[in-house]
Structure formats: C-alpha cells, structure tokens
C-alpha cells in the first residue's frame, strides 16, 4: 500500500492570517533614509482590503452614474488606488506634521497624505499589493 498524496495548505492559511494582522513599514525619504513615520496596513487577501475594493468600486460607480453622459471619461485609477490604500491603512505613528500642523490618523487624512506625497503612497502600495510582503520570515 502506498501513502495517500495530499497538498498541505497550512502555509496559505498562515499567509491569510498574517494579511489580516497586517504589517507596519518605516517610510523612507528619497535617499532611502527613514523619516520617522511608520504606517500599518493589511494585505490584499484580508477581509478589510477586499471590503475596501468593493466599497471603492461602488463609490466610483456612483460618481460615474451621477456625471452627465456628455462628460469625458477620466482616468481615475490613481484616485481609486489611493482610496483603497486609505481604507486598508490601519494606523500611522507618530502623527505627521505638515506645515506646522499635526495630522491625526483618519481615513480622510490618509487619503490626503497619499494624494499629496506620491513617495509615501508608492512605498505603501508596493508592499500592500504583494502577498509576499506578509510572509513570516
């Protein structure tokens, strides 16, 4: 008798759990040096990210329906990504300061930060969309 072959999916289960828990990254400046801001977010398979994608799709579909059919279609992919990332961001630490004003954590403030500072958004996006970012070492 031979042993029955099987595929062990325990590693994938662990990956899903780590995406639900999320990760935190240190934001770097253009020289690759830490600026003192850490941002946390969940992974692409997490319930929160999946809900964010559905909510953003509905939000943008509603906006499109409200526009006149004579309006030219715009490429809103950046705005969509910013909205999804903002909904998937769990925290930042410490609160950043822009022009002397402290910016507390909120979804709206995260959207504004990602829209204003592409360098920050890019660092979050590149890690948030990759499952490999959430594998335990």
């Amino acid at each position: 008798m031979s042993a029955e072959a099987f595929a062990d999916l325990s590693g994938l289960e662990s990956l899903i759990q780590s995406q639900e828990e999320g990760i935190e990254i240190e934001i770097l400046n253009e020289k690759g040096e830490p600026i003192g801001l850490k941002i946390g977010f969940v992974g692409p398979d997490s319930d929160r990210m999946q809900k964010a994608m559905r909510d953003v799709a509905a939000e943008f579909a509603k906006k499109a329906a409200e526009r006149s059919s004579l309006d030219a279609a715009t490429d809103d992919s950046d705005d969509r990504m910013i909205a999804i990332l903002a909904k998937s961001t769990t925290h930042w630490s410490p609160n950043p300061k822009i022009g002397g004003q402290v910016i507390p954590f909120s979804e709206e403030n995260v959207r504004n930060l990602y829209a204003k500072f592409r360098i920050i958004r890019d660092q979050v996006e590149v890690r948030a969309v990759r499952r490999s970012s959430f594998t335990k070492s």
Side-chain angles (χ1 to χ4, degrees):
M1 289 181 67
S2 64
E4 186 177 338
F6 62 90
D8 185 358
L9 302 180
S10 301
L12 295 179
E13 191 171 54
S14 175
L15 174 62
I16 291 170
Q17 181 60 38
S18 68
Q19 289 186 59
E20 292 291 345
E21 292 168 4
I23 61 173
E24 181 180 80
I25 64 168
E26 191 156 10
I27 300 301
L28 308 175
N29 66 15
E30 74 284 359
K31 297 175 186 174
E33 302 164 341
I35 64 170
L37 177 64
K38 293 181 180 183
I39 298 180
F41 48 89
V42 295
D45 298 325
S46 68
D47 289 341
R48 182 172 177 157
M49 177 78 82
Q50 293 296 310
K51 182 178 182 325
M53 288 189 281
R54 287 189 303 273
D55 290 351
V56 169
E59 174 188 332
F60 280 77
K62 182 179 177 188
K63 286 179 184 177
E66 292 170 353
R67 283 195 305 263
S68 164
S69 61
L70 299 177
D71 290 345
T74 59
D75 180 12
D76 57 9
S77 58
D78 276 352
D79 291 340
R80 285 176 184 256
M81 180 54 79
I82 287 169
I84 291 168
L85 290 173
K87 289 179 177 297
S88 303
T89 299
T90 58
H91 65 279
W92 61 33
S93 175
N95 286 331
K97 191 189 301 187
I98 301 172
Q101 182 180 4
V102 175
I103 311 299
F105 180 82
S106 71
E107 183 181 321
E108 180 181 357
N109 288 342
V110 174
R111 268 195 200 206
N112 292 336
L113 185 84
Y114 291 165
K116 182 174 179 118
F117 299 105
R118 180 75 187 235
I119 189 171
I120 294 174
R121 175 194 146 190
D122 285 351
Q123 291 175 62
V124 172
E125 182 179 349
V126 75
R127 299 285 300 276
V129 300
R130 291 190 177 141
R131 290 177 181 95
S132 61
S133 299
F134 298 87
T135 56
K136 306 266 186 206
S137 299

